[in-house]
Amino acid sequence: MKAAAVPVCSWSMTFSQSLTWLLAFTILPCPAWAKDDGPKPIPWSFSPLRRLDPPAVKDTSWPKTRIDHYILAKMEAAGLKPAPQADARTLSRRLAFDLTGLPPQGASQISDPKSQIASLLASPHYGERWARHW
């Protein structure tokens, strides 16, 4: 006696037949598809942290933090040198342009960078600049 063939996808299937088909072929694991490749490697995100020694660099006076060693090593490998430290006027202009998009107001320089940052953040121009992104 032949078993009745159940169509793979048909409107004539009952709900229970559809559910059986769904469970049998999509959700439940099929032994024909299952492969045992042995133990799976642990993803890097679950491996324990370990401290690496920073790469050796020729100019040991430039790096201030551990990440600077990596940056300088890549620069030295490319034959580049770090730019010299900018003077106070240049840093003041960069700060004003970054925060407000405008040059610094007035010819007087603020000697304390923290007070300059606080005044630029309190400026309405700071809010106008960053509101443009919305």
Side-chain angles (χ1 to χ4, degrees):
M1 179 172 174
K2 280 185 153 181
V6 176
V8 173
C9 183
S10 171
W11 291 107
S12 64
M13 293 174 65
T14 65
F15 178 75
S16 62
Q17 288 175 330
S18 299
L19 188 60
T20 303
W21 183 85
L22 180 70
L23 289 172
F25 292 105
T26 60
I27 297 174
L28 298 176
C30 180
W33 299 332
K35 289 188 206 175
D36 185 20
D37 295 334
K40 304 285 188 243
I42 297 173
W44 68 268
S45 57
F46 293 123
S47 61
L49 296 177
R50 64 180 194 264
R51 183 173 289 274
L52 298 175
D53 292 330
V57 293
K58 295 175 189 169
D59 182 14
T60 57
S61 64
W62 186 81
K64 304 281 187 272
T65 63
R66 290 177 59 84
I67 194 74
D68 292 340
H69 288 272
Y70 292 94
I71 294 169
L72 185 59
K74 284 288 188 177
M75 289 176 69
E76 288 177 350
L80 301 173
K81 292 182 181 179
Q85 178 70 29
D87 61 339
R89 180 179 177 272
T90 304
L91 291 176
S92 175
R93 287 184 58 82
R94 289 179 186 171
L95 183 64
F97 276 114
D98 283 345
L99 292 180
T100 64
L102 300 170
Q105 296 178 354
S108 64
Q109 283 194 9
I110 300 174
S111 60
D112 183 24
K114 289 184 180 182
S115 63
Q116 184 181 12
I117 292 170
S119 67
L120 288 172
L121 290 175
S123 168
H125 300 299
Y126 173 76
E128 292 167 357
R129 174 174 172 79
W130 295 105
R132 288 185 313 166
H133 298 294
W134 294 345

